[in-house]
Amino acid sequence: MKTFSKILQIISYISTILVVGVVLFIYIYFAYRSRNILNINFLLESPKGLVLGEEGGIFPAIIGSIYFSTTAVLIAFFPAICSAIFIKFYAKKRFRRFAHTLIENMASVPSIVLGLFSYTVFVYRLGFGRSIFSAGVALAIMILPFLERRFEKAFDEVDINLINASNNLGIHKYFMILRLVNKESFKEIVSAVLLCYGFAMGALAPMIFTGAVAYSAVPNSIFNPSMALPMHLYLLIAQGETQLDRAYATAFVELMLVLIFNIFAYMLIYKKK
Amino acid sequence: MNNVNVKIENLSVSYDDKKVIDNINYSFYRNEITCIIGASGCGKTTLLKTINRSIEYDENVKTSGNILLEENGHFKNIYDISEEVLRKRVGIVSQNPVVFPFSIYKNLLYPLDYYTKLNKEEKKEKVISVLKKVELYDEVKDNLDKYADNLSGGQKQRLCIARTLLTEPEVLLLDEPCSALDIKNQDVIEKLLLQLKNEITIIIVTHNIKEAEKLKDKIIFMDAGKIIEDGVDIIKNPKSVALKDFLNY
């Protein structure tokens, strides 16, 4: 038993090093491959060149990606938190099980299918055209099940004794959720939003047909299409070996964006604590 | 008969399929302290929690029978009252005090903010008055904005009682409120309960026979989900074998 425990410990240790190592390697390798490309002009200029992106920068794609992800999170947040509250605090056991099955199935729908849905409904039927909004809806549907389950998990972690103590006072659940659960699960909720923000920022399939374009200026409305980092990255890679370093630089910027958002959010969380 | 506040009729409770309360009939009177005693697992806490339906936090519980609560001279079945209203009228304090992860002051504001529309000053007055009532004010008056979790067990228990009192219950249920407390804190809480009985009906589950003797207007002895004996002097004059065994006669 002791040997088994030791082996398990060693495997866990190696796995942790591997996971951390892979992440660090990705950051370092991407930074290394981007070293000749990354500069202030690359960040602040629009893409140029005969083959789009071989010169200039990625500024519209950075702003576009932020728009896409923010729209997606804003659209998904409200239904996700409301359904998590309903399922956790109001639903009966049988409905809870049924809802979980549906939500988990929804999570496994390929994201291109969600893009197709948004393309049909929002781009065509409702006439929003290819826009940040249409793509935002597709991305929101993609992150919705993940966000909902993470919110539920956040609520699960609130001490049941606190919930019962509040119920014992005859206080309605909505008040308890606003005052007590919200405070207790705030950190987890922010972390879930951020995780999904990053997830939306990296997704390409749902926005290909719905809102991302090869070139546009910085959009001035969410009802315009926009460039996005994953789309730009895809187009650069599609051009072959010649644009690979630019592709790495674009990917590195995307990684850093997600990292900055995470750091910013954690600072907010700890400030609040 | 007019003083009956809570009337239990043919009450049975089971967890999954195991019967924990078996066809109980009993009436609790206004302005009395009724102490429920009995061995562990005899169903006393279940009976207590059934009275304000906090037993239903467990989805596997099934109840049958009626619990009637007096309202303007009439009795109303608790299952016809919303759970929130019922729990405001019938407050419960559990064995292990659970303070909210806020300051002492905010713990007490929690029910006040929900139930009242008082202004800041009026709320403060209420908080101070209830803290004085549970004899906690002098101990915490300089630390009202400090985290309630830092209080001692006895202080937490008194804070929880104060928080429940702010909902102005008609009936107060207490599940072994002094079991983890030192003698000083026990005395404070017992003194408080004796004062409170002038305003409300108190039902208390306890293992402590001395405490039951000190507080009681009536004592109920339970065994295997049934009320075996009840009365004023059942500890001095036990009749049933079960109670004699329990008291080690």
Side-chain angles (χ1 to χ4, degrees):
Chain A
M1 204 62 192
K2 227 175 175 182
T3 321
F4 179 71
S5 164
K6 196 85 191 159
I7 292 169
L8 206 69
Q9 200 182 339
I10 292 169
I11 292 172
S12 311
Y13 185 66
I14 294 170
S15 304
T16 311
I17 290 177
L18 266 175
V19 171
V20 176
V22 166
V23 175
L24 277 178
F25 175 77
I26 288 173
Y27 272 94
I28 293 167
Y29 185 70
F30 279 34
Y32 175 76
R33 290 295 300 258
S34 322
R35 70 193 185 282
N36 297 325
I37 308 290
L38 263 182
N39 56 41
I40 197 76
N41 293 335
F42 182 72
L43 296 176
L44 297 180
E45 281 181 6
S46 295
K48 291 173 196 157
L50 266 179
V51 178
L52 194 71
E54 69 178 352
E55 290 168 25
I58 56 168
F59 184 67
I62 294 174
I63 301 298
S65 275
I66 293 172
Y67 278 3
F68 281 118
S69 303
T70 310
T71 310
V73 167
L74 287 177
I75 293 171
F77 182 83
F78 194 68
I81 199 125
C82 289
S83 45
I85 286 171
F86 179 76
I87 292 169
K88 169 71 187 165
F89 296 105
Y90 293 91
K92 294 274 177 213
K93 211 193 256 175
R94 280 177 71 180
F95 180 80
R96 204 178 302 147
R97 237 180 268 157
F98 170 70
H100 284 164
T101 311
L102 276 185
I103 291 164
E104 272 149 27
N105 275 328
M106 190 176 159
S108 55
V109 173
S111 54
I112 189 79
V113 176
L114 305 176
L116 178 70
F117 167 76
S118 182
Y119 178 72
T120 317
V121 176
F122 289 92
V123 176
Y124 266 99
R125 297 263 175 213
L126 298 177
F128 286 104
R130 292 184 73 185
S131 63
I132 293 171
F133 177 75
S134 302
V137 172
L139 289 167
I141 300 170
M142 181 188 79
I143 63 173
L144 187 69
F146 296 96
L147 210 51
E148 195 280 336
R149 290 299 277 145
R150 291 272 309 205
F151 286 161
E152 254 193 83
K153 267 196 123 47
F155 297 150
D156 283 342
E157 281 174 25
V158 177
D159 185 354
I160 188 72
N161 291 318
L162 291 177
I163 292 173
N164 289 344
S166 177
N167 288 336
N168 283 343
L169 295 169
I171 282 170
H172 201 278
K173 283 174 184 169
Y174 84 86
F175 189 84
M176 174 191 73
I177 291 161
L178 288 176
R179 276 287 182 94
L180 195 63
V181 175
N182 171 38
K183 182 181 185 295
E184 285 295 279
S185 52
F186 176 79
K187 194 174 155 186
E188 290 295 318
I189 287 172
V190 173
S191 139
V193 167
L194 279 171
L195 217 81
C196 288
Y197 194 93
F199 183 27
M201 199 173 252
L204 173 63
M207 61 168 82
I208 286 182
F209 307 116
T210 51
V213 288
Y215 180 79
S216 79
V218 173
N220 51 19
S221 153
I222 62 162
F223 298 106
N224 291 337
S226 170
M227 287 184 75
L229 285 170
M231 181 78 165
H232 191 66
L233 187 62
Y234 169 74
L235 293 173
L236 288 171
I237 295 170
Q239 286 167 31
E241 194 68 34
T242 51
Q243 300 302 325
L244 262 190
D245 281 353
R246 288 194 155 261
Y248 274 114
T250 307
F252 184 69
V253 169
E254 187 161 358
L255 280 176
M256 293 315 288
L257 263 180
V258 175
L259 187 69
I260 289 165
F261 277 116
N262 275 296
I263 292 170
F264 180 66
Y266 281 114
M267 276 164 63
L268 267 180
I269 293 165
Y270 287 111
K271 202 175 165 191
K272 187 176 167 95
K273 277 197 99 180
Chain B
M1 199 59 192
N2 283 339
N3 285 329
V4 172
N5 199 354
V6 181
K7 201 182 332 183
I8 295 176
E9 294 176 342
N10 307 319
L11 180 73
S12 293
V13 181
S14 47
Y15 284 104
D16 296 317
D17 286 325
K18 195 184 162 219
K19 216 168 209 178
V20 192
I21 299 282
D22 190 4
N23 199 33
I24 280 183
N25 290 282
Y26 196 78
S27 293
F28 295 95
Y29 288 80
R30 195 179 296 282
N31 306 120
E32 279 190 0
I33 298 182
T34 308
C35 298
I36 307 175
I37 58 168
S40 297
C42 70
K44 12 183 231 303
T45 300
T46 303
L47 173 62
L48 200 75
K49 288 182 172 176
T50 310
I51 297 173
N52 79 339
R53 295 179 64 186
S54 54
I55 196 76
E56 291 169 29
Y57 300 153
D58 186 335
E59 290 183 15
N60 299 316
V61 166
K62 281 183 194 143
T63 56
S64 64
N66 295 319
I67 299 177
L68 307 168
L69 194 60
E70 194 271 338
E71 194 178 293
N72 304 325
H74 300 283
F75 283 100
K76 197 165 185 184
N77 199 328
I78 60 163
Y79 297 101
D80 296 331
I81 305 172
S82 81
E83 287 176 48
E84 286 83 20
V85 172
L86 174 70
R87 290 184 194 129
K88 182 199 181 301
R89 292 177 63 187
V90 184
I92 189 164
V93 175
S94 57
Q95 184 177 4
N96 300 313
V98 180
V99 295
F100 296 136
F102 315 136
S103 68
I104 297 167
Y105 189 68
K106 280 190 177 166
N107 260 273
L108 297 171
L109 275 188
Y110 189 80
L112 280 181
D113 284 346
Y114 180 75
Y115 284 115
T116 69
K117 287 192 163 69
L118 301 173
N119 65 35
K120 223 174 163 183
E121 279 308 306
E122 289 167 330
K123 279 179 189 166
K124 198 174 177 184
E125 271 172 35
K126 275 241 172 201
V127 166
I128 291 171
S129 131
V130 80
L131 282 173
K132 282 181 178 164
K133 199 171 201 172
V134 298
E135 294 191 21
L136 193 57
Y137 184 67
D138 289 336
E139 294 167 48
V140 301
K141 65 182 173 196
D142 299 324
N143 299 310
L144 286 175
D145 58 341
K146 295 270 162 64
Y147 212 50
D149 208 32
N150 296 331
L151 296 173
S152 72
Q155 288 173 324
K156 277 185 195 169
Q157 190 62 286
R158 278 181 280 156
L159 182 68
C160 288
I161 294 175
R163 201 174 56 195
T164 306
L165 290 179
L166 284 170
T167 66
E168 298 178 357
E170 299 159 34
V171 181
L172 183 61
L173 312 171
L174 299 113
D175 186 11
E176 299 188 41
C178 302
S179 64
L181 306 185
D182 57 33
I183 292 171
K184 190 189 151 209
N185 276 303
Q186 265 182 40
D187 284 344
V188 172
I189 289 177
E190 285 168 4
K191 208 175 102 192
L192 169 71
L193 295 178
L194 288 169
Q195 275 172 19
L196 281 174
K197 81 166 184 174
N198 298 321
E199 300 162 32
I200 54 178
T201 307
I202 297 174
I203 306 169
I204 172 167
V205 162
T206 180
H207 267 119
N208 188 333
I209 303 298
K210 277 185 191 164
E211 186 179 76
E213 273 286 273
K214 213 189 282 182
L215 293 174
K216 56 108 203 235
D217 287 297
K218 285 200 186 87
I219 298 179
I220 296 175
F221 171 66
M222 285 183 69
D223 191 37
K226 291 184 182 218
I227 293 179
I228 306 294
E229 267 188 66
D230 68 281
V232 183
D233 287 321
I234 63 165
I235 292 186
K236 281 180 189 151
N237 304 306
K239 291 187 185 86
S240 64
V241 178
L243 180 54
K244 282 178 185 165
D245 277 353
F246 178 71
L247 297 169
N248 285 327
Y249 264 63

